[in-house]
Amino acid sequence: MENNGRFFSFMTKTLLKPMSKVAQYRIVRAVMAAGMASIPFTIVGSMVLVLNVIPLVWPVTAGFWNATFMKFSDLYMVINTATMGILAMYFALAIGYELTRIIQTEDKLKVAPLNGAFLSLFAFFMCLPELVVKGGKIILLNSITPKEKVISGFRMTATIDRLGTSGIFTAIIMAIVAVYLYKFCVKHNWTIRMPEAVPEGVSRSFTALIPTAVIALVVMVINGSLVLLGTDIFKMISIPFSFVTNLTSTWIGVIVIEFLIHALWIVGIHGANIISAFITPILLTNMAANAKGAHIPFAGEFNNSFAIMGGSGATLGLCLFIAFAAHSEQLKVLGRASLAPALFNINEPLIFGLPIVYNPYLAIPFFLAPMASASLAYAAFYFRLINPIITQAPWPSPIGFGALISTVDIRAVIVAILCGIVAFLIWFPFIKLYDAKLVNDEKQVADGKEAEA
């Protein structure tokens, strides 16, 4: 037990304290909020894509599909264009609003969240056009060829290319730049103050006038400087983030992510929430790439659909076992109470009720089970045994359903179930020992009460 104490002490020092600080950073909180706000759009927008994919996955349906749904494809795919196609815009607005709201609340500054959202969008939009130096002049790129269509600086696909998932990282950076410039201007009274009798909406507009000019000037200088160097903000930002994206899409990267999520949970921090702030843009970008023909395993709801069925730790099988096969009355009651939420990937009752947090008996399977299930799923994708994730399934989808919705592939259901079984096999010996310990503890308590009586 002394070694276990040292282990948890080490985890607390190396993960709890630094990650607690990271979780409190305003930028991280704003990105987390933006990721949560984008969920309805990513789910609805990617789901309509299923209608176009079904005849490709199941050719037997092609004739029926061409005679029915495909006649309206351009109509319903507007939903995809207006969601996944401009997802970076939603991120810019959400981060700008949330970060400004946090500054307004915590710094007691007279900044308006709506202004922050619009200023962030403004800064991001300034980065969209592609500019080049030609004949000693900076001009908007125009290039119409069979392989590309760039009109007045805007590269076109289904919509303006940089408004989609490829622009999320730029949207995040520009929202941060815009909000902090806005904060700087307000803090140093670089604003136009209106009399109190002026309506709030009018006053807010004039308050943002000088910050808008400052943001325009700063972003313009940045854009101009980079264009003269033969690049732009999108290309600059893509270098480090492409490296991170490629790293997290490897098996090692996935294992590291699973380890971090569960290492945070084991010391009492909601690991999924914190890590999602960093990986959500990557998952969405990879999912969009898969929809265009890529085959990247780590995309969309990979985690909830394959790695952690039943919740963090991949505890669905564990929950079923303790609900119906445990000998400890404490475990039986907890398992039955936790069963309904566990079916929908919610397992806080187990994490804090068993407990798993700071529990040396259950820490090892809590780490190993999701790593094993994630490895099995990764291998299935890597060796192309199942179709890639192309749609965003709702994260509470029960085991198998999320996999089917994400991939539109019945084989993915089998893989998800196998992942759940593998996770349970890892949990089984540990929960058996823990069950026996609790039965012994309960017996001692009962014997003690009889002795007192």
Side-chain angles (χ1 to χ4, degrees):
M1 291 300 292
E2 184 180 348
N3 289 335
N4 288 323
R6 289 177 181 174
F7 169 75
F8 285 112
S9 176
F10 171 77
M11 294 292 282
T12 300
K13 289 179 181 178
T14 56
L15 278 171
L16 177 59
K17 291 181 179 178
M19 292 308 290
S20 292
K21 291 180 180 179
V22 170
Q24 292 306 309
Y25 289 158
R26 294 172 174 180
I27 293 171
V28 174
R29 286 151 58 194
V31 174
M32 287 171 61
M36 294 297 291
S38 72
I39 288 175
F41 302 100
T42 56
I43 291 177
V44 173
S46 61
M47 289 297 286
V48 296
L49 187 62
V50 172
L51 292 175
N52 280 8
V53 172
I54 284 177
L56 300 176
V57 177
W58 295 311
V60 69
T61 65
F64 172 75
W65 235 254
N66 289 332
T68 54
F69 290 105
M70 296 307 289
K71 289 186 176 182
F72 306 97
S73 177
D74 285 352
L75 175 63
Y76 60 70
M77 282 302 290
V78 170
I79 299 172
N80 183 271
T81 301
T83 50
M84 295 298 295
I86 57 171
L87 195 59
M89 187 183 79
Y90 294 121
F91 265 79
L93 282 169
I95 293 171
Y97 183 93
E98 188 65 21
L99 188 55
T100 308
R101 187 194 64 78
I102 292 170
I103 290 170
Q104 179 192 55
T105 303
E106 297 179 1
D107 291 353
K108 308 301 180 185
L109 279 178
K110 289 186 177 181
V111 290
L114 190 59
N115 280 349
F118 286 161
L119 291 171
S120 297
L121 190 61
F122 168 58
F124 173 57
F125 276 2
M126 283 189 67
C127 300
L128 293 180
E130 294 184 45
L131 297 152
V132 293
V133 178
K134 190 174 183 180
K137 293 172 60 178
I138 294 179
I139 62 171
L140 292 167
L141 177 64
N142 282 280
S143 175
I144 301 177
T145 69
K147 293 185 177 180
E148 66 177 9
K149 186 185 294 183
V150 187
I151 304 170
S152 297
F154 292 101
R155 187 173 297 271
M156 305 300 296
T157 50
T159 180
I160 297 172
D161 183 59
R162 291 181 167 185
L163 280 177
T165 52
S166 63
I168 290 177
F169 293 118
T170 302
I172 292 170
I173 299 299
M174 297 317 298
I176 294 167
V177 169
V179 170
Y180 277 98
L181 284 173
Y182 178 32
K183 173 188 173 182
F184 178 87
C185 292
V186 172
K187 188 174 182 179
H188 292 83
N189 294 317
W190 290 10
T191 58
I192 297 174
R193 299 196 177 195
M194 303 296 288
E196 291 186 5
V198 174
E200 184 181 351
V202 176
S203 177
R204 186 170 58 235
S205 299
F206 278 90
T207 301
L209 186 58
I210 293 177
T212 302
V214 170
I215 290 167
L217 179 62
V218 170
V219 177
M220 183 180 68
V221 170
I222 293 172
N223 281 343
S225 301
L226 291 175
V227 169
L228 291 173
L229 293 172
T231 185
D232 62 21
I233 290 176
F234 269 83
K235 294 171 185 174
M236 287 287 291
I237 289 175
S238 70
I239 295 171
F241 283 110
S242 291
F243 172 76
V244 174
T245 299
N246 293 334
L247 183 64
T248 55
S249 295
T250 64
W251 174 75
I252 291 294
V254 172
I255 292 302
V256 169
I257 289 169
E258 296 301 333
F259 174 81
L260 289 174
I261 290 172
H262 294 85
L264 291 169
W265 262 123
I266 208 71
V267 290
I269 298 178
H270 198 306
N273 276 357
I274 292 177
I275 301 302
S276 67
F278 301 97
I279 65 173
T280 294
I282 295 171
L283 291 167
L284 293 174
T285 301
N286 289 348
M287 185 177 71
N290 285 344
K292 295 177 182 178
H295 205 108
I296 305 170
F298 193 59
E301 281 296 340
F302 174 91
N303 226 27
N304 287 301
S305 297
F306 296 98
I308 56 169
M309 286 79 66
S312 294
T315 56
L316 181 59
L318 165 71
C319 187
L320 289 167
F321 175 81
I322 64 174
F324 301 110
H327 294 95
S328 164
E329 289 301 319
Q330 176 185 331
L331 288 185
K332 282 183 181 179
V333 171
L334 178 63
R336 290 168 186 173
S338 304
L339 190 55
L343 293 174
F344 298 96
N345 297 331
I346 300 168
N347 69 341
E348 278 82 354
L350 283 180
I351 286 178
F352 296 103
L354 274 174
I356 294 174
V357 173
Y358 284 107
N359 188 334
Y361 292 95
L362 302 179
I364 293 175
F366 188 67
F367 280 106
L368 293 183
M371 288 183 183
S373 55
S375 297
L376 177 58
Y378 186 93
F381 283 115
Y382 183 82
F383 292 108
R384 298 179 182 256
L385 301 178
I386 55 177
N387 293 336
I389 294 173
I390 59 168
T391 65
Q392 184 83 341
W395 67 264
S397 299
I399 184 170
F401 285 94
L404 179 62
I405 293 170
S406 296
T407 62
V408 201
D409 188 347
I410 195 68
R411 296 171 298 178
V413 177
I414 299 171
V415 171
I417 293 171
L418 288 175
C419 287
I421 292 171
V422 167
F424 172 66
L425 291 176
I426 290 173
W427 273 106
F428 182 71
F430 293 91
I431 196 60
K432 283 286 287 183
L433 290 172
Y434 192 56
D435 183 31
K437 174 187 178 298
L438 290 182
V439 168
N440 185 55
D441 291 346
E442 289 167 4
K443 185 176 183 302
Q444 288 181 1
V445 170
D447 291 344
K449 287 182 178 178
E450 287 180 6
E452 288 178 4

